[in-house]
Amino acid sequence: GDPLQIDRMKKAGINFGDPREKLGCKNFFGQYNKAASQRNRSHLFLSTVTVEDHLSNRSQSSGVRESKFRNPYGYFLKTLDGSLVFFVEIPKTGSSYIKRNAVIDTHRQWTGNCPKNLRSFVAVRDPIDRFVSGYGTLRSRVGNTVAFRDCQWKSKDRPGNEIKCYKDFVTLLTRKGEDITKLKTKEDRDQNVWNHVLSQMWFIDMYPCKIDFVLQREDLSQQFMALKQHLNIKGTKYDATKVVNFNESPYNWSKQYRVKKRLLEEKNSSEKLRFHYRQDFACFAYNAT
């Protein structure tokens, strides 16, 4: 590639290479049983044991991912030169921003193969910030049902049992891991919303091909614009310079700073989350303290 573009991407803070190829990440929970997994998933090239696998005592690919998520989260993006670029999507990491600033190639479908000329990238986020954001989305779309039956949110000054619900949910997630998705009901308007609180490595591990670039939500606008130029990604008229989350929650999580601050001040819950997402912290070099 163009040395100037490469230098610009490095200065923007983009990380090069797949986290699953890094020693401190790929064997974080032990060696992945590739032979057992490949019997069910012949196209598997890169994979690692995630915290969800670890909690379920698995050393091979998740049954949930095998049966229901045969295609990875993400999209092929249109490029100016016709090259192959795949965006591996992780919810709550700025994916809406990327999809508003790039053109999704709706005519190109996932085939399960990894061509040599394929380039892939992903955006990640501080694990605790991402969880709180994902929790807000989950609360919004699920409402006071299932795990939140006793929550009676009123306002930022009258949160009802919201703090207790948050603490109980953190305990539930850190114990159940991937099994948290079994709480969904047929009435949920978004059947995949429970995945918003699963680890970022869970999403990455669903993608069998090599990831070339890792962007951070915290500097996403600058990083994506540099990557967009390097990969010749076709832009849109939107072309925003700032990452803005359109928060859907009736609890207005993004604006109710005092509420979010109260959640983050729940030290016991934060410690549980730091331990639960310890692989994400290690793989993406976020400071767990």
Side-chain angles (χ1 to χ4, degrees):
D2 186 333
L4 291 177
Q5 291 182 359
I6 298 294
D7 185 60
R8 188 178 299 115
M9 289 194 296
K10 288 181 177 179
K11 286 182 178 178
I14 295 175
N15 289 319
F16 290 61
D18 196 305
R20 293 168 296 180
E21 293 184 318
K22 298 177 181 178
L23 185 61
C25 180
K26 68 178 181 179
N27 293 329
F28 192 90
F29 287 115
Q31 184 63 43
Y32 198 93
N33 187 345
K34 292 186 177 181
S37 178
Q38 286 176 336
R39 287 196 291 268
N40 300 319
R41 195 171 167 193
S42 59
H43 61 266
L44 180 69
F45 300 124
L46 280 173
S47 208
T48 188
V49 179
T50 67
V51 66
E52 289 80 13
D53 296 322
H54 181 67
L55 286 172
S56 299
N57 294 316
R58 288 191 301 257
S59 62
Q60 54 184 302
S61 187
S62 161
V64 171
R65 283 172 280 167
E66 289 291 342
S67 60
K68 297 183 180 179
F69 299 101
R70 297 187 185 280
N71 296 332
Y73 273 70
Y75 310 89
F76 283 102
L77 302 181
K78 287 189 176 181
T79 57
L80 299 175
D81 57 3
S83 58
L84 287 175
V85 172
F86 192 87
F87 164 49
V88 180
E89 181 179 14
I90 301 176
K92 315 310 296 182
T93 61
S95 56
S96 296
Y97 169 83
I98 292 174
K99 288 184 286 188
R100 288 196 302 270
N101 283 275
V103 180
I104 294 173
D105 191 343
T106 56
H107 298 291
R108 193 180 297 278
Q109 301 299 317
W110 177 256
T111 63
N113 298 315
C114 301
K116 289 184 178 180
N117 61 338
L118 174 65
R119 294 293 177 267
S120 308
F121 72 96
V122 66
V124 299
R125 184 177 185 178
D126 176 89
I128 306 297
D129 282 345
R130 175 179 172 269
F131 170 79
V132 173
S133 180
Y135 178 79
T137 298
L138 181 62
R139 285 288 289 112
S140 171
R141 298 187 191 179
V142 173
N144 293 330
T145 62
V146 196
F148 311 107
R149 294 189 190 281
D150 297 327
C151 303
Q152 297 297 326
W153 180 276
K154 301 296 182 183
S155 69
K156 66 179 182 179
D157 297 313
R158 298 171 60 200
N161 297 326
E162 194 65 33
I163 302 300
K164 181 180 183 301
C165 283
Y166 172 81
K167 293 166 67 175
D168 290 348
F169 184 82
V170 169
T171 299
L172 194 65
L173 171 69
T174 54
R175 287 178 180 173
K176 286 183 171 292
E178 195 176 76
D179 284 346
I180 200 81
T181 60
K182 294 179 181 179
L183 292 175
K184 66 184 178 183
T185 67
K186 294 181 179 179
E187 288 71 36
D188 291 346
R189 62 185 177 94
D190 182 353
Q191 290 290 295
N192 293 331
V193 69
W194 291 89
N195 300 341
H196 281 50
V197 294
L198 298 182
S199 72
Q200 295 171 80
M201 286 302 297
W202 186 89
F203 289 91
I204 286 178
D205 194 53
M206 284 166 46
Y207 185 65
C209 307
K210 180 180 178 180
I211 292 173
D212 300 283
F213 307 103
V214 180
L215 284 61
Q216 293 82 40
R217 163 65 176 77
E218 293 76 12
D219 297 300
L220 188 57
S221 58
Q222 180 184 4
Q223 291 182 359
F224 180 66
M225 290 307 164
L227 183 70
K228 182 178 172 183
Q229 184 176 8
H230 176 67
L231 296 180
N232 289 310
I233 296 171
K234 186 176 181 180
T236 65
K237 293 181 179 179
Y238 185 82
D239 200 26
T241 56
K242 293 183 179 180
V243 181
V244 179
N245 277 343
F246 293 98
N247 198 296
E248 64 191 292
S249 173
Y251 317 121
N252 225 353
W253 292 86
S254 62
K255 294 182 180 179
Q256 307 296 3
Y257 173 76
R258 289 172 59 188
V259 174
K260 182 177 178 181
K261 187 170 181 289
R262 284 184 64 182
L263 297 184
L264 292 174
E265 285 175 347
E266 294 298 324
K267 293 184 179 180
N268 188 44
S269 295
S270 293
E271 287 302 317
K272 288 181 179 179
L273 290 171
R274 286 191 187 95
F275 185 74
H276 181 73
Y277 292 124
R278 59 196 184 280
Q279 183 185 34
D280 281 358
F281 277 108
C283 292
F284 311 133
Y286 280 105
N287 189 346
T289 61

